[in-house]
Structures are given as structure tokens and as C-alpha cells.
Amino acid sequence: MKFPPPVIAQELEIFEKVFKESVKSHVSLLDTIMRYIVKRKGKQLRPMFVLLSAKLTGEINDQTYRAASLVELLHTATLVHDDVVDESYERRGFFSINALWKNKIAVLVGDYLLSKGLLLSLGNNDFEVLKILSSAVKQMSEGELLQIEKARNLNLKEEIYFEIIKNKTASLLASSCAAGAYSTCQDPLVAARMRQFGEWVGIAFQIKDDLFDYGNEDVGKPTGNDIREKKLTLPLIYTLNTCSASQKKELIYIIKNENRRKEKVNQVIEVVKKSGGIAYSQQKMEEYRDKALELLHQFDDTEVRQSLKELVRYTTDRKH
């Protein structure tokens, strides 16, 4: 696909101006950090989903651009806080905020971004959009805490895994699609339909991220980062729930006690591959992707719908 989708190329340019304006501050330190954040922006997938969902159901307007900006503000705030929690010093090839300005400032910057998002919506009476996206913030926190709680004993059932990623990852993408649609049609039922669409895309997106850790012909070399961080991803959960009791015991021992030894991490990766964990996860990812694509058929066949379908396929076919 062409990236970004040509059907929203102009709208993306307008969004970037609105977003840049929305993070400005009169405090020089904050303004310096905000310029750094704008400079190292990622793929902006979530604002694209906001804009395409909006265009699918009506005419893009000022509320749409504010919704896209709110999504990006919330997403950036969570990334800044995540880097502090995970003690990460790099993101997207750049130093993280906490690496350059230390944890205290990073936490305050995350809080600032969150408050700017709230004020952007409240100042323009975008109450329904704010309501849609506030529920995502709550779900993201719950998902993160549920993951921390369940990761301790490394005995995760598949349904708990899906509950975690539905909250932690998929909720923001789901709310992005719902907010975008609501901004142009003002119809809660249509927004709810797009929310479901976004949730399924978000789950497929996270499973794709899980697969990157194991590598394959498409992705390249396995990284094993999730194993080193004792994160239970779908390929590993499938393996632990289907292998013999003795093998399960050995894998759990490695993940808990030998997760810094490269040869041991590679051993886990090989067991996951041989057990069918990769193939199973790939199949699950495609199931969620296809459900999302099927839901789009409830809307008219337009260039916008086609672009949304291509963006969905990009999330599961991407190489990084």
C-alpha cells in the first residue's frame, strides 16, 4: 500500500499542524521536549485510523482533527510513562524522554500531554469524543496492571492473554476508530461498530508484535526481548499450554532464572517454533484481521473503505 494513504494525505498535513499547536508550552524546558517529541513521531497509525474512520462515515471536520490530536497526545503520554516503567532508554531509534531528561521530568511530561489532551476536548465541548477516549485510558492501565499481576507465576491462560491485549493495546485503536466515526456522523451505533472494528485490528496488531520476537522469513532474526523481560506472548502461552509437564517446567525455569543467557533464550524460541506456537499465533492474527475486514463490508465500497482495508493489512503484513 501507499503510505500514508493518499485519500487522507491532505488531512494528515492539517492534523500535524493541529497536533504541533496542541503541545506548545510557555515553559521553555517543556517546549524543548515537545519539539523533540514532534520530531521523533512514529508512523501515526492511530491518527490515520481516526481520519479514515471519520471519512468513512461523513465529512472530516475540526472535531475530527481534535480527536486525532487527542489520540496522539494520549498515545504519546502512555509511551513516555511506559519508558519510565520499563526503564527503556530508546524508542524508535531515538533516546527516550527519561534517558535525556530523567524519570521525574518524563513522568511530568506524560502528565502534561494527558492534561493537554483533556483540555483540547473540554475547551471545544467534544464531550462524547472525550468519553470514548477516556475509557481507553482506563482500559490501558487495567491491562498493564493485569499483565504485571499475571506475569509473576508464568501460568497464563489464553483468555487472560486476550483480556490483557484487548485492554492494553487494542482499546486505544478501538477508541480511535470510534471517536473518528462519531466526529462525522454523531451516531453512537455507528461509532460502536467502528469501535469493534478497531478492537479486532488492535488485537491482530499485538499478535503481530508478539511474532516479531521469534522472527521468521518476513521479520528476520528473532530478538527474544519478550522472553528476556518475562513477557508471556501468544506463541509462548500456546507452547506452555500444549507441551509436556517436564518441558513446561524446564521452559518456566529458563524464563525465570536464565532469561539473560542467549543460548537459553534461543532454546525457548526453538521449542516454541517446533510446538506450532508461531503457526497458531499467525492463524489467530489472521482470524482477527479477517473479522475486522468483514465488518467493513457493512459500509459502502469507496476509496476510503479500500484504504482502511489496506491499512488493516499493513498492520499484519508490516516488517517492523
Side-chain angles (χ1 to χ4, degrees):
M1 68 168 285
K2 287 185 179 175
F3 200 87
V7 73
I8 53 162
Q10 281 183 302
E11 288 87 345
L12 263 175
E13 283 183 25
I14 296 169
F15 152 73
E16 285 184 9
K17 287 174 187 166
V18 173
F19 179 69
K20 203 179 278 189
E21 196 61 35
S22 71
V23 297
K24 277 188 177 174
S25 165
H26 297 302
V27 178
S28 60
L29 172 61
L30 250 179
D31 214 31
T32 300
I33 297 171
M34 290 306 118
R35 283 198 300 273
Y36 181 73
I37 284 171
V38 169
K39 188 177 81 172
R40 60 166 207 166
K41 67 179 187 289
K43 301 184 194 81
Q44 297 183 314
L45 273 178
R46 288 155 196 82
M48 284 183 210
F49 273 106
V50 173
L51 295 171
L52 285 169
S53 299
K55 212 164 188 177
L56 186 72
T57 57
E59 290 292 319
I60 285 179
N61 54 49
D62 288 346
Q63 190 179 58
T64 310
Y65 292 119
R66 290 194 296 270
S69 295
L70 173 56
V71 164
E72 194 68 352
L73 284 162
L74 294 179
H75 178 56
T76 309
T78 59
L79 294 183
V80 171
H81 282 163
D82 281 353
D83 287 340
V84 174
V85 171
D86 298 337
E87 298 178 352
S88 298
Y89 297 114
E90 196 179 294
R91 182 171 289 276
R92 301 176 189 140
F94 290 88
F95 284 118
S96 61
I97 302 302
N98 50 306
L100 292 172
W101 287 282
K102 306 302 177 197
N103 284 348
K104 187 174 181 179
I105 288 174
V107 170
L108 293 169
V109 165
D111 293 346
Y112 173 77
L113 289 163
L114 187 58
S115 65
K116 288 292 272 189
L118 298 175
L119 289 168
L120 179 66
S121 293
L122 289 170
N124 292 280
N125 299 326
D126 297 337
F127 299 122
E128 191 59 34
V129 166
L130 182 57
K131 190 174 165 187
I132 290 168
L133 282 154
S134 293
S135 70
V137 177
K138 176 182 83 81
Q139 284 182 274
M140 288 159 78
S141 303
E142 286 174 343
E144 191 76 53
L145 287 163
L146 182 61
Q147 184 177 50
I148 292 167
E149 178 193 329
K150 297 294 181 184
R152 285 174 185 159
N153 59 7
L154 295 179
N155 189 21
L156 199 60
K157 289 185 171 63
E158 198 174 296
E159 56 266 31
I160 300 290
Y161 163 83
F162 278 107
E163 187 185 343
I164 288 168
I165 67 166
K166 190 177 86 171
N167 286 335
K168 188 182 163 188
T169 306
S171 61
L172 187 57
L173 197 52
S175 295
S176 299
C177 296
Y182 187 84
S183 73
T184 56
C185 72
Q186 309 289 300
D187 185 337
L189 291 176
V190 174
R193 207 182 308 163
M194 289 306 293
R195 191 192 186 291
Q196 182 61 80
F197 161 78
E199 183 178 286
W200 285 335
V201 176
I203 291 171
F205 181 93
Q206 182 56 54
I207 297 173
K208 180 68 173 184
D209 264 8
D210 288 0
L211 288 166
F212 282 143
D213 208 47
Y214 294 89
N216 55 33
E217 317 79 62
D218 297 325
V219 180
K221 290 179 182 175
T223 65
N225 287 336
D226 288 336
I227 296 166
R228 274 190 287 278
E229 291 170 17
K230 302 182 191 177
K231 278 185 187 168
L232 286 176
T233 57
L234 189 56
L236 184 57
I237 290 164
Y238 174 84
T239 303
L240 290 172
N241 289 336
T242 55
C243 67
S244 67
S246 60
Q247 192 162 52
K248 181 176 181 177
K249 191 176 176 183
E250 184 184 5
L251 290 173
I252 288 174
Y253 183 83
I254 291 171
I255 295 161
K256 277 187 171 177
N257 304 296
E258 300 181 309
N259 57 346
R260 295 287 156 186
R261 292 176 60 188
K262 193 176 179 182
E263 71 276 12
K264 289 293 184 179
V265 170
N266 288 340
Q267 184 185 330
V268 174
I269 290 169
E270 282 310 306
V271 173
V272 169
K273 285 180 177 176
K274 283 175 185 168
S275 75
I278 305 296
Y280 177 79
S281 302
Q282 183 84 25
Q283 177 202 327
K284 279 287 179 188
M285 178 188 75
E286 288 168 4
E287 279 176 23
Y288 280 99
R289 177 200 66 195
D290 292 347
K291 283 202 290 187
L293 293 173
E294 186 60 37
L295 192 150
L296 282 181
H297 287 137
Q298 296 175 24
F299 297 90
D300 292 339
D301 187 5
T302 60
E303 190 186 355
V304 176
R305 191 182 86 173
Q306 188 54 37
S307 294
L308 254 179
K309 288 174 85 168
E310 286 174 11
L311 194 56
V312 171
R313 290 194 176 279
Y314 169 81
T315 64
T316 53
D317 296 346
R318 63 202 162 96
K319 302 290 187 281
H320 54 85

